[in-house]
Amino acid sequence: MQLVCFDTETTGLDVQKEHIIQLSLVKFDTDSWQTIDQRDWYILPEGPFSIPAEAEAVHHISKAFLMENGVSLRSIYDELIAFTKDCDLLSYNGNGYDAPILHYNLKRIGKDFQFDGRTWYDALLLERIHTAGMVDENGEKVHNNLTSAYTRYYGHPFEGAHNSLDDVMATIEVFKAQVAAHGWAWAQRDEFGFISFDRWLQKRGAYYYLAQGAHRGESIESMLRVDKSYLEWMVDKCQWTDPQTRDILAPYLGRSVAPSTPSTPSAPNASCATNTTLPNSSGKKRGKPTISDADLSLF
């Protein structure tokens, strides 16, 4: 099987507003774990942009460097699509960060990426499962950033952390070690089939679940009984909600769905909202969420 592992460096953490300034992809064979091909672009954003000092201190990419060496995302779009055609994807926290920010950066220039119909392997999620309950020599919960995970498997950190191409190569090595330790069956997760661009929803089997906020882990069907107003708040008032999520939730709330786009999955049949035997349905009513980017940190 061939996978494409990808990573980005960006101007900040807000997936809806910040810019990609480095995009790296490596296509590799999962039988031999050998690299087949790779792409590594420094991206010059269209229009005004800035790189905060704290971001530059991490990835060492300056605005002056981009002005001299960067290419536009628009100019490499066709090559990006061709390179990833018919391939599943691998990342380290890409489901929570890199995939959404790629979506919003492409959307900003009127382009799209075929996110549906792919498996999105996320080695960070797998590492969290692998290290569940583990503590370090001080009795503290172990860290799961990419450097820590790589060091855990190979006994030393990798060189070039926070250069997206080096991060891609390290991710492939971590994923290789994860599969060797647990097998391919263990690495197959329902969550890898779909996650919304705004990180609100995950899909496991036939059901959508909230992936963040006060009701994290609750199914949409359960939320209709527990706190329907929360779903209405997500659709009508939450500034973070993407049209993709609104389209998915609309049938549950008895509303019409906007015309579908290539990146919007088919909305579920609203009749399934009557299901009363759902997993992970606690039935507890909770307050509104505080949305943060804390879960995006790779440091």
Side-chain angles (χ1 to χ4, degrees):
M1 178 173 68
Q2 293 183 2
L3 289 181
V4 171
C5 185
F6 76 106
D7 188 59
T8 65
E9 299 298 338
T10 67
T11 57
L13 291 177
D14 190 326
V15 297
Q16 295 188 4
K17 297 179 181 178
E18 300 293 350
H19 298 278
I20 292 173
I21 54 177
Q22 187 183 8
L23 174 61
S24 303
L25 307 97
V26 171
K27 186 178 297 184
F28 67 100
D29 182 82
T30 58
D31 293 323
S32 65
W33 298 96
Q34 296 298 306
T35 296
I36 298 170
D37 202 357
Q38 67 181 51
R39 297 290 185 274
D40 183 32
W41 295 293
Y42 287 98
I43 306 298
L44 178 63
E46 297 183 10
F49 75 99
S50 62
I51 303 176
E54 57 271 25
E56 186 175 337
V58 172
H59 49 56
H60 307 296
I61 301 173
S62 67
K63 186 172 183 177
F65 177 86
L66 291 179
M67 297 297 291
E68 183 175 351
N69 300 284
V71 298
S72 71
L73 188 58
R74 189 187 305 274
S75 71
I76 57 96
Y77 173 75
D78 289 342
E79 191 173 356
L80 168 66
I81 298 303
F83 189 85
T84 57
K85 182 177 174 59
D86 300 326
C87 287
D88 292 331
L89 283 298
L90 169 67
S91 66
Y92 205 89
N93 198 34
N95 287 8
Y97 182 70
D98 299 274
I101 202 169
L102 177 59
H103 162 70
Y104 287 114
N105 272 246
L106 290 173
K107 183 177 179 181
R108 199 176 295 146
I109 61 172
K111 302 293 185 180
D112 194 16
F113 188 87
Q114 188 60 47
F115 286 86
D116 295 349
R118 302 175 188 254
T119 299
W120 291 79
Y121 295 95
D122 193 324
L124 174 59
L125 186 149
L126 293 177
E127 194 60 18
R128 286 172 174 165
I129 297 170
H130 171 73
T131 62
M134 285 188 184
V135 295
D136 61 19
E137 62 274 11
N138 299 315
E140 301 291 334
K141 183 179 178 181
V142 298
H143 294 290
N144 282 320
N145 57 67
L146 180 55
T147 299
S148 296
Y150 186 94
T151 303
R152 197 153 41 238
Y153 289 111
Y154 296 101
H156 59 84
F158 68 97
E159 296 182 5
H162 305 299
N163 173 284
S164 61
L165 183 58
D166 291 324
D167 286 354
V168 164
M169 301 307 295
T171 297
I172 293 171
E173 292 301 312
V174 167
F175 185 60
K176 176 182 177 181
Q178 291 170 334
V179 172
H182 300 285
W184 272 105
W186 174 84
Q188 310 301 312
R189 304 278 164 177
D190 287 338
E191 293 91 336
F192 294 160
F194 172 84
I195 186 167
S196 60
F197 303 130
D198 52 20
R199 294 174 288 130
W200 265 122
L201 302 176
Q202 286 184 341
K203 191 176 185 182
R204 302 178 221 154
Y207 299 106
Y208 289 101
Y209 292 79
L210 293 180
Q212 64 174 330
H215 290 282
R216 181 175 181 174
E218 203 78 59
S219 69
I220 300 306
E221 290 86 351
S222 173
M223 286 301 300
L224 290 173
R225 302 192 304 272
V226 174
D227 191 358
K228 181 180 178 181
S229 64
Y230 188 90
L231 301 180
E232 294 171 334
W233 169 81
M234 287 172 57
V235 171
D236 297 328
K237 297 181 180 180
C238 179
Q239 63 176 331
W240 295 89
T241 304
D242 188 81
Q244 176 197 42
T245 295
R246 290 190 171 94
D247 284 351
I248 292 170
L249 293 180
Y252 289 106
L253 298 174
R255 304 180 185 185
S256 59
V257 181
S260 296
T261 64
S263 59
T264 303
S266 300
N269 190 319
S271 64
C272 67
T274 60
N275 191 315
T276 58
T277 57
L278 300 168
N280 297 335
S281 297
S282 62
K284 295 180 181 179
K285 186 170 183 176
R286 306 166 206 154
K288 297 289 190 291
T290 299
I291 301 174
S292 73
D293 290 309
D295 61 321
L296 300 181
S297 176
L298 295 182
F299 310 131

